[in-house]
Amino acid sequence: MNGEYRLENAELRCHFATRDGQLWFEHFTAGKAGESFLAMPALFCSVGVGRAAGATEATADELRVHWYEPAVELQVRLAGSTLSWAVHVENPQPEAAIYFPFVAELQVGAAQKTLAGMQAFQDSFGRPIFRHVDFPLPLVKLAPEGRTLTLLPGVLPQPITQSGLEPLWSAPGIPLAESGDCLDMELILHEGGWPAAFDRFRTKIRSGFDLTQYERPDLDWYGEQLVHHFTFLYGREILNLESGQFELERFLDEGEALFGGYDGFLIWGVYPRIGVDERTQWDFYDDFPGGRAGLRAMAQRARARGVRFFIPYKPWDRSADLHGRSAGPDHEQLARLVADVEADGVFLDTMSAIGGEFRTAIDRLRPGVVLCSEGRAKGEALEVITSAWDQSFSWDIQQGNWAAGPEMLPGVDLWRFLFPEHRLFVISRHAVGDDRLRIIQRGFFSGMGWVVWQDIFGLVLTYAPDEAALLKKCRTILRQHRQALWSAQPTPLIPTLVAGVYANEFPGCSKRLWTFYNENQQIVNGRILQIKPRPGCHYVDVWNEREVEVDGEGCLHFELAPRQVGAVVELPRLLVRQPNGLVSVNESIPNATLHVRQPGIDRQASLSDLGQQSLDSLLGTSKQPIIVCLVAAGEVLDQIVVQMDEGGAR
Amino acid sequence: MNQQLPTATLTGMAQVSGGHFLYRASHRFREGGFILYDEGPRWVEVHPFAIDRYEVTNGEFRRFLAASGYRPAESHNFLRHWQGGFPEELANHPVTWVSLDDARAYAAWAGKRLPTDMEWQWAAQGADGRRWPWGMAFNPAYCNSDSSGTTPVDAHPANVSPFGVGDLVGNVWEWIDTVITDGWHRWCFIRGGSYYRATGSLWYAEGGAQPVDHHHKFLLMHPGLDRCATIGFRCVRSDGPTMSGWGTYQWAVDSTKDGLNFDD
């Protein structure tokens, strides 16, 4: 049964034809006179081989095509600038498959650039960049005149494995038995390129989640956390080996000197000791030096220094239950412990999900306690657990240790960009074969936190000086730009102008942050990223502390070292350098201070002093550039870089 | 004094001849590995020594306290199982809830010391490389393994080594004198395994009786945590040199702390 069917409106013109049991695209353009997205005709859909297409019903905005043996109905709709379709399979047959060949054509389509899709996000070695791809990524095609064509799942897909997604874009057919709802698609014509396409994708995925836990004011403090420390209680980092007592202040001081400070620390003393005798994980907290009261005092002293205190929960400690000696359900014991030691957070050892009774029991006894899981909380677990470790993990044993999984840059975690409020902390898993510099860089590039773990249950793996210095630098930069870092609409892997240079974008309300990774073996210098400059703003390479030149086409000119990360920030011009060598501030900002920095010098001035002193008098006669930052609550509001001339700062 | 100890056997020592033996210890794999110690096989020399036939009992430890006035500087969990008064029914059981330093104090008082890792294994294994004091194959009836508590030190007559040393495996772990530090941690070994076996997870420390070539790396933290329901000790004495040196141990008798008072 052959026929022709036209779905069209002001936005899209979609002409279909049925021929030989297949549904064809005859015409597919934006508006009446737009350029075709595909070479026409293109095969839209077929089911099996040699099956007969049956009755076809069509209206101006809807088309239904039926196949028999297997019985499949395809329903195609046009609404506004969205063409969507749904597949109804009446009797799944594993041997039969459904095909959408035009999707593959969209990816390689001639003149216009296809940006994304499963295969498109690969590094120059052909390895996938996205990690944890549990949803089908949108397929995005940059259409003529700046328009964007985006293919999205039509209904919210459940998280599924990557292997289950690949057929959507690449395989010749999808088995009808496995396809399920992921066959339902939307093809949307819109403005805004990849960031807008990714935002639609994010909105769709998030619509299936209840994210109210993330809106709790008592958990707000967690947003400030970037560097956690894994604190093995049997080691000298915190334990005085002579006295057998914990030395919190020394421990925190050393953390400040090495890494710029810890935002939180997780005490770890139950494993590997537990099991030598009958004591449960709860008993240990009575027997650590000072008992629960001692730990509570430690937590209070840490908080007074702005450092949060975490305890672990080990769901596998079941021996007391099995021996009939349990002192009560775990959620009650955990909540009691949290209250007794005044913990700020609970780390869920080995877990990636937890029963709601834990959340309820803890909330009843102590507000403001966050949950962080070792495994990735996905699906419903993400609604309860608001944070997780991001570890590369492998069960291979190398030299008596569990090996790290592959750690590759740029390595973007998809969930970081879908759920920015779900905090992820990069951790090096035992560091055997790990390149810790890469782990630190990956955390920076994707704007995540880190766990410093130097004492792996007795195996000491201290950070080398260059590793510690890199982490300190990364933490400092991200902390100074949290307003952008924790943007609700970050975009991963925005297109750059240089092959092998990757960028993520974090738009804040008054600033924008871009992080970069240069995969090349060479320095990249010059036009790297094209943006739409914002009036009244300037651009600073905060990695190298240099002003960034913006040319007439909105291209940012700066430099990236080989195999290294970088960062550029868009800042409103608040600081102005006067010809007489003074610095003035455009706006009055309460509680802001001025930081003036030059290698070896770090001075602060209050705002009222500004304009009173020239940079010359503030600083020495060094020829190093002077960095002037306007800072409020640790956030850099503006930053200028003053190059020293012969006669000093002018 | 109301002890009913068969003192002739329980306080006796067995003579262990010296010699070279092929030391080959094993430990359980844990995350983070096991570092700074050569587990062998390697030839080591052991000089002749005498070793307690059994672990030091609660009754013997009570006599020590009464005679010496020993009180640990940090008393958390010290003899925790005595807190309701001396447990007469456990008089012949190995003393537990004692730290390594508590054990060393006892040994010094008795004119003895704690065994080294090599000495303990040699006394338990002898020259033929056996895995259990009585032979190659484990027999749960020969020792106190996987039960709910300690037993009298002489409750298992078959739990005896070629040198005539009893109750080496199962019942309680035994402190070994050697403390090793890597600058980040202090740790020692415990030997023999115990009555207790945690179940339900592979992340627990190994439970039940352990073979004579097995030692457990025990990270030391704080006496309150380090004292366990499952760790006791026995002593050795030798006139000549040992494999590794040991210090002389002194304790501070704190007259202001007299929380424990047991009549001898």
Side-chain angles (χ1 to χ4, degrees):
Chain A
M1 185 180 294
N2 297 341
E4 292 198 359
Y5 312 93
R6 296 188 167 200
L7 308 186
E8 37 179 75
N9 58 25
E11 300 283 340
L12 281 173
R13 189 170 168 217
C14 315
H15 294 183
F16 293 93
T18 49
R19 281 197 296 274
D20 307 325
Q22 297 171 324
L23 181 66
W24 288 78
F25 250 153
E26 295 287 300
H27 207 89
F28 181 41
T29 58
K32 296 241 183 263
E35 192 182 334
S36 180
F37 294 112
L38 291 165
M40 289 292 153
L43 182 54
F44 186 89
C45 181
S46 68
V47 176
V49 177
R51 313 280 183 182
T56 301
E57 307 153 25
T59 63
D61 53 13
E62 185 174 315
L63 171 68
R64 289 169 184 254
V65 187
H66 299 264
W67 282 266
Y68 303 108
E69 298 176 44
V72 171
E73 184 194 59
L74 178 71
Q75 188 178 3
V76 185
R77 280 203 198 93
L78 178 66
S81 58
T82 300
L83 181 74
S84 62
W85 58 93
V87 178
H88 307 287
V89 182
E90 280 161 31
N91 55 338
Q93 296 183 13
E95 70 278 12
I98 187 161
Y99 304 81
F100 292 95
F102 84 99
V103 172
E105 291 297 314
L106 266 183
Q107 290 186 79
V108 296
Q112 306 118 16
K113 187 176 178 186
T114 300
L115 202 69
M118 279 315 256
Q119 302 93 334
F121 288 115
Q122 293 177 340
D123 65 13
S124 49
F125 304 99
R127 301 174 304 202
I129 294 175
F130 275 120
R131 300 156 62 97
H132 295 280
V133 183
D134 300 297
F135 305 100
L137 286 168
L139 189 104
V140 181
K141 198 173 178 71
L142 296 184
E145 293 132 27
R147 309 207 76 191
T148 311
L149 188 66
T150 296
L151 183 68
L152 277 183
V155 293
L156 180 74
Q158 291 303 307
I160 51 178
T161 60
Q162 185 160 353
S163 62
L165 301 175
E166 277 163 359
L168 282 180
W169 307 143
S170 56
I174 306 164
L176 283 172
E178 299 171 15
S179 54
D181 289 339
C182 64
L183 292 175
D184 296 0
M185 288 288 152
E186 288 177 353
L187 197 52
I188 309 158
L189 187 67
H190 61 93
E191 307 288 333
W194 166 240
F198 188 82
D199 196 41
R200 285 169 183 268
F201 172 57
R202 174 170 44 220
T203 303
K204 177 139 259 167
I205 300 298
R206 290 169 64 94
S207 68
F209 287 82
D210 174 359
L211 299 173
T212 49
Q213 283 291 320
Y214 297 87
E215 292 156 15
R216 287 173 52 164
D218 64 324
L219 303 184
D220 252 5
W221 62 269
Y222 201 52
E224 303 288 306
Q225 303 267 304
L226 280 172
V227 174
H228 281 180
H229 185 268
F230 185 101
T231 313
F232 190 55
L233 293 179
Y234 299 87
R236 71 151 292 283
E237 281 175 294
I238 194 161
L239 182 69
N240 181 317
L241 300 184
E242 295 292 316
S243 67
Q245 300 293 319
F246 298 135
E247 294 180 339
L248 177 78
E249 282 72 21
R250 177 183 57 78
F251 161 67
L252 295 180
D253 289 346
E254 289 178 4
E256 280 177 19
L258 279 170
F259 303 108
Y262 306 128
D263 300 306
F265 67 111
L266 166 64
I267 61 164
W268 196 276
V270 174
Y271 176 91
R273 170 76 69 84
I274 192 167
V276 171
D277 68 8
E278 292 93 334
R279 280 175 286 184
T280 64
Q281 60 182 317
W282 319 114
D283 296 330
F284 273 69
Y285 294 87
D286 298 317
D287 291 344
F288 288 138
R292 295 188 181 210
L295 294 172
R296 179 167 63 244
M298 187 157 90
Q300 290 167 350
R301 271 153 44 215
R303 267 193 299 277
R305 289 182 59 158
V307 181
R308 298 293 185 145
F309 179 73
F310 292 74
I311 55 168
Y313 164 57
K314 297 171 193 318
W316 47 265
D317 179 19
R318 302 251 62 84
S319 199
D321 276 353
L322 297 170
H323 286 88
R325 290 185 285 102
S326 171
D330 273 10
H331 61 275
E332 287 174 14
Q333 303 246 47
L334 177 60
R336 171 51 48 204
L337 176 62
V338 163
D340 284 350
V341 303
E342 295 185 4
D344 297 302
V346 177
F347 175 75
L348 306 173
D349 183 33
T350 73
M351 305 176 82
S352 52
I354 194 166
E357 70 274 17
F358 282 83
R359 184 74 264 179
T360 310
I362 291 169
D363 285 343
R364 195 177 298 131
L365 293 188
R366 181 170 166 78
V369 177
V370 299
L371 302 176
C372 174
S373 56
E374 179 181 8
R376 294 298 292 272
K378 295 176 174 178
E380 287 175 8
L382 181 125
E383 300 176 357
V384 181
I385 301 171
T386 56
S387 164
W389 276 6
D390 181 3
Q391 60 183 343
S392 296
F393 188 73
S394 132
W395 288 98
D396 290 342
I397 290 173
Q398 292 175 6
Q399 298 170 11
N401 292 287
W402 279 326
E407 189 59 62
M408 289 178 298
L409 282 163
V412 171
D413 194 300
L414 183 61
W415 292 70
R416 161 65 179 89
F417 291 85
L418 292 176
F419 300 93
E421 61 275 76
H422 182 81
R423 294 288 192 266
L424 295 170
F425 293 83
V426 181
I427 178 163
S428 80
R429 183 78 195 184
H430 301 160
V432 174
D434 272 4
D435 181 340
R436 203 151 44 186
L437 288 170
R438 284 183 166 212
I439 291 168
I440 298 166
Q441 288 176 312
R442 181 165 72 78
F444 181 81
F445 179 64
S446 288
M448 301 157 87
W450 298 266
V451 179
V452 171
W453 190 4
Q454 300 196 99
D455 187 350
I456 293 91
F457 315 130
L459 175 66
V460 178
L461 291 162
T462 48
Y463 275 57
D466 59 332
E467 294 171 336
L470 178 68
L471 181 57
K472 189 175 184 173
K473 179 174 183 173
C474 290
R475 173 182 188 265
T476 302
I477 292 174
L478 293 188
R479 272 183 69 78
Q480 288 174 342
H481 302 289
R482 299 191 297 279
Q483 212 184 77
L485 178 68
W486 301 125
S487 160
Q489 292 172 307
T491 309
L493 299 176
I494 57 170
T496 71
L497 302 173
V498 182
V501 170
Y502 305 94
N504 295 320
E505 183 177 60
F506 304 90
C509 50
S510 63
K511 58 163 76 163
R512 266 193 289 182
L513 166 71
W514 293 273
T515 58
F516 298 91
Y517 177 67
N518 174 21
E519 186 176 64
N520 300 293
Q521 302 284 358
Q522 299 82 31
I523 292 175
V524 171
N525 196 344
R527 294 155 53 110
I528 292 178
L529 186 72
Q530 187 171 23
I531 60 158
K532 280 188 187 139
R534 209 185 295 184
C537 287
H538 69 126
Y539 299 82
V540 179
D541 170 356
V542 290
W543 190 263
N544 296 307
E545 305 208 291
R546 292 177 198 152
E547 195 74 25
V548 172
E549 183 202 328
V550 191
D551 66 22
E553 294 169 31
C555 297
L556 303 178
H557 293 239
F558 59 102
E559 184 176 301
L560 290 169
R563 319 280 294 178
Q564 186 57 281
V565 291
V568 169
V569 183
E570 176 187 73
L571 292 162
R573 277 198 188 281
L574 301 173
L575 292 172
V576 180
R577 224 179 114 207
Q578 306 295 348
N580 60 4
L582 301 180
V583 169
S584 64
V585 181
N586 274 342
E587 285 176 36
S588 154
I589 296 152
N591 302 321
T593 53
L594 195 73
H595 292 243
V596 183
R597 201 149 39 76
Q598 204 176 13
I601 301 170
D602 190 356
R603 295 199 190 165
Q604 286 187 32
S606 68
L607 266 182
S608 58
D609 295 340
L610 293 177
Q612 307 303 311
Q613 288 178 299
S614 72
L615 292 174
D616 275 342
S617 63
L618 269 171
L619 299 163
T621 54
S622 163
K623 295 287 182 281
Q624 298 281 353
I626 301 169
I627 320 295
V628 186
C629 294
L630 187 66
V631 180
E635 183 89 18
V636 169
L637 307 177
D638 191 16
Q639 171 172 355
I640 57 173
V641 182
V642 182
Q643 296 297 334
M644 297 294 285
D645 304 329
E646 277 302 305
R650 288 288 176 267
Chain B
M1 174 172 166
N2 56 0
Q3 288 181 94
Q4 304 300 314
L5 294 176
T7 50
T9 51
L10 292 189
T11 60
M13 299 184 85
Q15 279 300 319
V16 179
S17 60
H20 285 81
F21 86 105
L22 190 64
Y23 170 83
R24 180 184 230 154
S26 68
H27 71 273
R28 192 189 150 200
F29 162 75
R30 308 302 294 261
E31 288 166 287
F34 198 56
I35 51 169
L36 291 181
Y37 196 80
D38 181 359
E39 305 264 288
R42 56 186 162 113
W43 288 97
V44 296
E45 186 181 9
V46 177
H47 295 276
F49 62 97
I51 185 167
D52 291 347
R53 268 185 207 285
Y54 296 110
E55 303 96 319
V56 171
T57 63
N58 284 301
E60 288 168 327
F61 204 82
R62 174 169 64 171
R63 274 194 301 176
F64 153 64
L65 290 184
S68 68
Y70 174 76
R71 299 292 180 274
E74 166 58 62
S75 63
H76 186 66
N77 279 339
F78 180 57
L79 299 173
R80 180 162 142 176
H81 59 312
W82 294 15
Q83 273 165 10
F86 180 78
E88 294 294 346
E89 70 285 6
L90 302 179
N92 289 357
H93 291 229
V95 67
T96 55
W97 293 108
V98 286
S99 69
L100 181 59
D101 283 342
D102 300 332
R104 286 167 160 177
Y106 176 96
W109 168 78
K112 302 177 184 177
R113 59 180 172 82
L114 300 181
T116 66
D117 199 51
M118 286 82 179
E119 284 172 339
W120 193 98
Q121 184 164 335
W122 174 242
Q125 189 175 36
D128 61 6
R130 61 184 60 193
R131 299 211 71 216
W132 301 93
W134 53 82
M136 285 305 287
F138 181 63
N139 186 333
Y142 282 8
C143 60
N144 178 10
S145 180
D146 214 351
S147 75
S148 59
T150 56
T151 46
V153 294
D154 58 349
H156 294 87
N159 191 354
V160 63
S161 83
F163 291 109
V165 186
D167 213 32
L168 283 155
V169 300
N171 211 8
V172 290
W173 292 95
E174 298 177 22
W175 288 117
I176 295 299
D177 195 43
T178 319
V179 172
I180 300 175
T181 180
D182 55 7
W184 276 61
H185 314 91
R186 287 174 72 244
W187 49 275
C188 67
F189 294 120
I190 53 176
R191 283 281 192 166
S194 79
Y195 68 87
Y196 177 64
R197 185 195 298 278
T199 50
S201 173
L202 61 88
W203 283 295
Y204 286 121
E206 58 273 36
Q210 296 294 323
V212 292
D213 61 356
H214 181 88
H215 58 192
H216 174 91
K217 176 184 177 179
F218 190 89
L219 284 157
L220 295 163
M221 181 194 284
H222 177 256
L225 188 70
D226 298 346
R227 293 182 181 114
C228 291
T230 51
I231 306 181
F233 67 101
R234 77 179 71 215
C235 303
V236 298
R237 176 188 284 145
S238 61
D239 298 325
T242 55
M243 242 310 291
S244 60
W246 69 96
T248 51
Y249 300 100
Q250 295 178 334
W251 57 88
V253 177
D254 184 351
S255 56
T256 62
K257 278 189 182 174
D258 202 15
L260 289 161
N261 196 355
F262 302 100
D263 294 333
D264 191 53

